[in-house]
């Protein structure tokens, strides 16, 4: 392929039908970066021989050292197809490790298609699933690349026929994942209340385009490391003449259960049944297998020229002299089945060009999910068409920034050293010589002066010097380049565009008024760049449909932003992040005086890393929330080496817990049934009563555990409730939003049928749902305040945010005035429970009585301060007591963990998991590989150094991947002490060691500086002097 320079690529940017934007996605270590290397090598940027070893896209030092990718990076490649048409491929390599999965989201947003890479030996990994889900959600067009075929030959030593069956299994696995994502999406959109709809819904939709199939041309078989790849079409073209079949027919039959009938010169179905060799084995795999056999296994170098001639290849004399068998394979197969030809050809054919964005995708990007299209002004709706046609000439410029990438100033093209001519070099040399001379003379003179003038004079020039250094403004070492894509119009340097914040809403007339727009600010576009892996190329302008780096936005954008020339544009929907940041650590400088540097460094880190959350804890500590241990290490490395350049101390990980209550236990800790007396069954004992300080207000509350389905529902729709609470009172909700609310309400009513009210109320589930008073904490949590008293609470199901004018009905009931105080009390308790001040989960606080006896008396009198404050305290206290009256439990976040190990290491691996209180969910043998794929659950708090210990114990063979899975109740009472006879016998009087929940609780309390109930000295004894002499 001809090698082209950046200026020609820049010209191609304007021809949209010849541009493709793609990313490479896969599970960790399935070979994305190696694939990118081979593609980069085809452009002559790196040598073919180094492809796979260099890992060009991993430009960070720690990426190279660890061998994993940590950020997504882009490169623009040139491709010329067999019809001599030129293409510009903007390729993004993404990380596969779960700790960096939000980098994947930033890449996916900017692309139209994705190459999904699957290691054929390991098969579908959990990240493969996550990627496919994200591709489906963002409506990208995926193509599949089955990688590492060489491992089937050399490592697994499968026969071609076995390899064929193995490959079809992997393909089936991938398609099964796609199928299940598709089915759950279709069913979610259907009305689930009608049971018969399940099947009909799935039957009606067309899923023919959904699956991967070699015959359709969207699957490529590859060995990225050995630099070869092929699609079925490549072999179809190769064999059409010899087999006397048309290319199209061959393409349809080369993969699948077909065999070749040599007499009739046609393909016949039913190879397996008739025990014939499938055509894929006969014409494709056997050829490759025999090449590996001759070159790598038998090392028969003599045959090389013969084979090359047969395949119609010309090997250079230098290639024939190669002694390394792997390099020979790379040269031979790389020429016969060039990786760029098949992979990029597939991309060009299957991935849509930027001006072919589907209607749904445009809609999804432009309009947030809950926005009703009719409610938008016509100018905004008109933008969608421009957006879809992706016109470079459009007057409306729209771009989306998905992340900010730090680039060292020395890497910027404008600062890179230009080649010097011989003359300039000579000039420089002369200049340097002159300076050295000068300095020599100066120092001689200075030493003379120093001798005569004494110490005082000596110190003056140095202090002046210091002042001069300080006065010089500090130059930032890193410049942040916005990683963006132009969706409409042409982006030019120096242009002024609006930066739209997420709250910008063109439905509000004020938002569209340039004078007033509260969530838009004008920014000036700085330098524009084309990404070339670690390097950048300056550009003057970038037309729609291309990926671009934008300078000069550093002080305006933190992570993502929408840039637009018109205020009619909406702010793009937020990136869908796959993983939840869960691991928090506090960071402090080793030297306290470095604090300002740390604060500055953290600010830069926050901007540079898409998935880190930087915050300051109430205790004043700087806390970063990350996705996992590897991510923490990367952040600390970045801080120490680049952004803050100071040594920092990293605290032990801070794990969030939650607190909840559970129904009374029916068995004790040794599984003996507990016999309940009538007194135990008395519900009234669980009711907490609290009066306000002036004894005029009374609250009676009972805490009840919410059913699991309700908790899940609330958790899932947290955003909806947040929006509901933020909408000012008396605002009419949009139709779409109301129907969403109604849907939730119906599901909630179904869930409430399981709520055990223990005879306290006879209300039906419908009535109960109507009596929901609030959710907490922060109006969107999983705890409910339920009103069972005679008070009429404000309606929860309509907008209930702060009203701009006062509530007119307030005067009717004196209790209305204190409504918000009561709610705040509830919010405070649910935000910090009594166990260790962590948020509560799944608790229903039913208010049985709420009375105020004013009788003409001023509630604020009697010297106890404002009554509203008293209500707040009383509400807080009563909820806390009610909570404590029930069996309390800690809830811990759980990681799900996937490990692939061979049979020998299985035992050791189980031991490590067992020690850390993990639970094995499944441990199946992966067919054809001899490896076990084990899935287990592990409490997050037990996961530190888990990966290291696992690697150590299994001699580096098992490498776990941890991903947040769900919250789980630890079924041990943190305050439990043996009481029944059996328990005493089993655990002894003190059962400290058994109580994991108490251990966790105390560790959190200790960290927060709360009181910890523990005896420091167990058996105090008078100290004896052990020395005999005294
Ligand atoms: N045998 C064989 N090994 C391969 C092939 N492709 C990649 N590898 C090896 O697989 C390992 C991982 O490759 P990478 O390209 O770094 O994988 P990755 O998907 O980029 O990994 P992350 O970015 O960390 O998710 C390296 O040791 C590669 O040499 C292949 O086709 N055959
Ligand atoms: Mg990689």
């Amino acid at each position: 392929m001809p090698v082209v320079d950046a200026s020609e690529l820049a010209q191609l940017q304007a021809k949209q039908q010849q541009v493709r934007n793609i990313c490479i996605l896969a599970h960790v270590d399935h070979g994305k970066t190696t694939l990118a290397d081979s593609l980069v090598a085809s452009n002559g940027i790196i040598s073919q021989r180094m492809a796979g070893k260099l890992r060009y896209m991993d430009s960070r030092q720690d990426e190279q050292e660890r061998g994993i990718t940590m950020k997504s990076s882009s490169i623009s490649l040139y491709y010329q197809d067999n019809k001599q048409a030129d293409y510009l491929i903007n390729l993004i390599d993404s990380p596969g490790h779960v700790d960096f999965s939000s980098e994947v989201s930033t890449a996916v947003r900017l692309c139209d298609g994705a190459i999904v890479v699957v290691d054929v030996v390991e098969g579908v990994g959990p990240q493969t699933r996550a990627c496919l889900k994200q591709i489906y959600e963002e409506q990208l067009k995926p193509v599949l690349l089955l990688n590492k075929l060489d491992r089937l030959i050399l490592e697994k030593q499968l026969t071609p026929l076995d390899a064929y069956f193995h490959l079809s299994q992997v393909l089936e696995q991938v398609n099964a994942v796609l199928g299940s994502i598709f089915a759950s999406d279709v069913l979610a959109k259907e009305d689930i209340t009608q049971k018969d709809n399940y099947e009909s819904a799935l039957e009606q939709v067309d899923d023919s385009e959904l699956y991967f199939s070699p015959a359709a041309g969207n699957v490529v078989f590859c060995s990225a490391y050995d630099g070869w790849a092929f699609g079925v079409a490549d072999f179809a073209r190769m064999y059409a003449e010899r087999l006397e079949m048309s290319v199209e027919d061959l393409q349809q039959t080369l993969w699948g259960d077909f065999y070749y009938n040599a007499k009739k010169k046609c393909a016949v179905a039913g190879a397996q049944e008739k025990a014939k060799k499938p055509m894929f084995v006969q014409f494709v795999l056997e050829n490759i297998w025999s090449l590996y056999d001759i070159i790598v296994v038998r090392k028969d170098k003599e045959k090389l020229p013969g084979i090359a001639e047969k395949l119609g290849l010309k090997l250079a004399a230098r290639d024939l002299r190669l002694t390394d068998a792997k390099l020979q394979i790379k040269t031979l197969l790389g020429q016969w089945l060039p990786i760029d030809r098949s992979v990029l050809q597939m991309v060009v054919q299957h991935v849509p060009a930027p001006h072919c964005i589907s209607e749904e995708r445009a809609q999804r990007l432009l309009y947030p999910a809950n926005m009703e299209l009719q409610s938008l002004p016509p100018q905004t709706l008109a933008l969608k068409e421009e957006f879809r046609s992706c016109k470079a000439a459009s007057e409306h410029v729209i771009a989306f920034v998905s992340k900010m990438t730090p680039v060292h100033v020395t890497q910027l093209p404008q600062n890179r050293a230009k080649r010097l001519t011989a003359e300039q070099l000579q000039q420089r040399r002369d200049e340097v010589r002159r300076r050295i001379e000068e300095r020599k003379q100066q120092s001689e003179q200075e030493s003379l002066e120093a001798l005569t003038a004494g110490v005082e004079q000596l110190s003056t020039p140095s202090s002046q010097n210091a002042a001069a250094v300080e006065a010089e403004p500090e130059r930032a070492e890193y410049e942040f380049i916005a990683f963006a894509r132009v969706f409409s119009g042409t982006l030019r340097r120096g242009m002024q565009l609006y930066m739209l914040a997420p709250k910008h809403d063109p439905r509000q007339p004020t938002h569209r008024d340039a004078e007033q727009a509260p969530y838009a600010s004008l920014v000036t576009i700085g330098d524009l760049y084309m990404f070339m892996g670690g390097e950048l190329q300056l550009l003057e302008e970038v037309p729609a449909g291309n990926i671009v780096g934008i300078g000069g936005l550093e002080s305006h954008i933190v992570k993502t932003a929408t840039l637009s020339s018109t205020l009619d544009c909406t702010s793009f929907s937020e990136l869908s992040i796959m993983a939840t940041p869960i691991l928090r650590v506090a960071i402090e400088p080793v030297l306290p005086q470095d604090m300002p540097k740390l604060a500055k460094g953290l600010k830069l880190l926050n901007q540079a890393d898409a998935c880190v959350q930087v915050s300051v804890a109430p205790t004043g500590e700087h806390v970063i929330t990350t996705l996992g241990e590897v991510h923490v290490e990367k952040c600390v490395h970045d801080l120490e080496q680049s952004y803050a350049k100071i040594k920092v101390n990293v605290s032990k990980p801070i794990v969030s817990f939650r607190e909840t209550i559970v129904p009374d236990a029916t068995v004790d800790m040794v599984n003996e049934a507990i016999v309940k007396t009538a007194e135990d069954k008395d519900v009234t004992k669980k009711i907490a009563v609290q009066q306000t300080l002036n004894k005029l207000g009374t609250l009676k509350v009972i805490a009840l555990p919410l059913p699991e389905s309700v908790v899940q529902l609330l958790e899932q729709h947290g955003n909806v409730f947040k929006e509901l609470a933020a909408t000012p009172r008396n605002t009419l909700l949009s139709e779409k939003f109301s129907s969403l609310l109604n849907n939730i309400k119906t599901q909630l009513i179904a869930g409430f049928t399981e709520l055990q009210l223990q005879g306290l109320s006879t209300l039906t589930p419908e009535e109960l749902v109507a009596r929901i008073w609030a959710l907490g904490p922060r109006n969107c949590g999983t705890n409910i305040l339920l009103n069972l008293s005679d008070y009429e609470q404000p309606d929860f199901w309509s907008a209930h945010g702060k009203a701009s004018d006062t509530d007119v009905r307030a005067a009717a009931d004196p209790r209305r005035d204190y409504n918000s105080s009561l709610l705040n009390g509830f919010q405070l308790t649910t935000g910090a429970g009594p166990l260790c001040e962590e948020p509560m989960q799944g608790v229903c606080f039913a208010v049985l009585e709420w009375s105020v006896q004013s009788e003409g008396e001023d509630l604020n009198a009697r010297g106890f301060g404002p009554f509203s404050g008293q209500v707040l305290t009383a509400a807080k206290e009563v909820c806390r007591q009610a909570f404590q009256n029930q069996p309390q439990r800690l809830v811990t976040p759980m990681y799900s963990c996937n490990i692939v190990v061979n049979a020998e290491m299985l035992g050791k691996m189980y031991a490590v998991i067992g020690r850390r209180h993990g639970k094995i969910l499944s441990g199946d043998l992966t067919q054809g590989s001899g490896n076990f794929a084990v899935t287990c659950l592990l409490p997050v708090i037990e996961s530190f150094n888990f990966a290291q210990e696992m690697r150590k114990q299994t001699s580096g063979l098992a490498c776990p991947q941890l991903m947040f899975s769900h919250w789980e109740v630890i079924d041990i009472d943190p305050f439990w002490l043996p009481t029944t006879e059996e328990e005493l016998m089993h655990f002894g009087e003190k059962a400290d060691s058994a109580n994991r929940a108490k251990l966790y609780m105390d560790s959190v309390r200790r960290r927060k500086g709360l009181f910890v109930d523990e005896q420091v000295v167990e058996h105090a004894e008078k100290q004896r002097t052990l020395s005999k002499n005294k």
Side-chain angles (χ1 to χ4, degrees), residues 61 73 103 227 247 305 363 384 401 527 529 543 547 555 652 656 690 696 731 825 846 883 886 906 974:
Q61 195 190 347
S73 43
E103 284 282 325
V247 176
Q363 210 151 307
K384 190 176 83 184
V401 177
D527 288 321
Y529 304 95
I547 291 172
S555 49
K652 271 197 193 151
S656 310
Q690 181 81 25
L696 292 179
T731 321
F883 182 88
Q886 296 280 14
L906 207 58

Side-chain angles (χ1 to χ4, degrees), residues 146-301:
L146 295 173
N147 193 20
K148 305 201 188 179
L149 247 69
D150 61 308
R151 285 183 72 187
L152 295 182
I153 310 173
L154 300 175
E155 199 178 305
K156 296 287 159 205
Q157 304 195 336
L158 298 185
T159 62
L161 189 64
D162 288 342
Y164 165 70
F165 288 128
H166 182 82
L167 287 173
S168 13
Q169 259 174 12
V170 175
L171 187 66
E172 234 166 70
Q173 259 183 5
V174 181
N175 278 334
V177 175
L178 271 183
S180 71
I181 295 172
F182 178 71
S184 60
D185 178 54
V186 171
L187 293 180
K189 283 186 191 148
E190 274 299 303
D191 186 2
I192 51 160
T193 45
Q194 293 174 15
K195 285 235 164 64
D196 314 337
N197 274 358
Y198 280 125
E199 275 168 22
S200 66
L202 278 180
E203 275 166 17
Q204 278 161 15
V205 281
D206 177 26
D207 62 352
S208 55
E209 291 275 294
L210 181 75
Y211 298 107
F212 292 119
S213 133
N218 55 9
V219 180
V220 157
F221 303 87
C222 172
S223 166
Y225 191 78
D226 288 347
W228 54 265
F230 64 87
V232 171
D234 295 320
F235 274 90
R237 271 195 299 274
M238 232 182 274
Y239 277 104
E241 209 173 311
R242 229 178 79 193
L243 302 182
E244 295 180 31
M245 280 175 74
S246 72
V247 176
E248 291 74 34
D249 285 350
L250 258 182
Q251 200 169 332
Q252 294 304 319
T253 52
L254 211 44
W255 171 267
D257 195 24
F258 297 98
Y259 68 91
Y260 184 65
N261 186 328
K263 269 190 208 147
K264 292 188 192 156
K265 310 258 182 240
C266 67
V268 186
Q272 205 172 350
E273 205 176 283
K274 294 178 192 148
K276 302 264 190 194
K277 248 188 229 168
M279 283 167 77
F280 192 73
V281 176
Q282 189 179 356
F283 299 117
V284 182
L285 293 186
E286 281 187 351
N287 284 321
I288 295 172
W289 254 246
S290 70
L291 282 179
Y292 267 86
D293 185 50
I294 297 169
I295 299 173
V296 185
V297 182
R298 284 194 267 142
K299 301 209 180 340
D300 206 344
K301 207 177 146 191

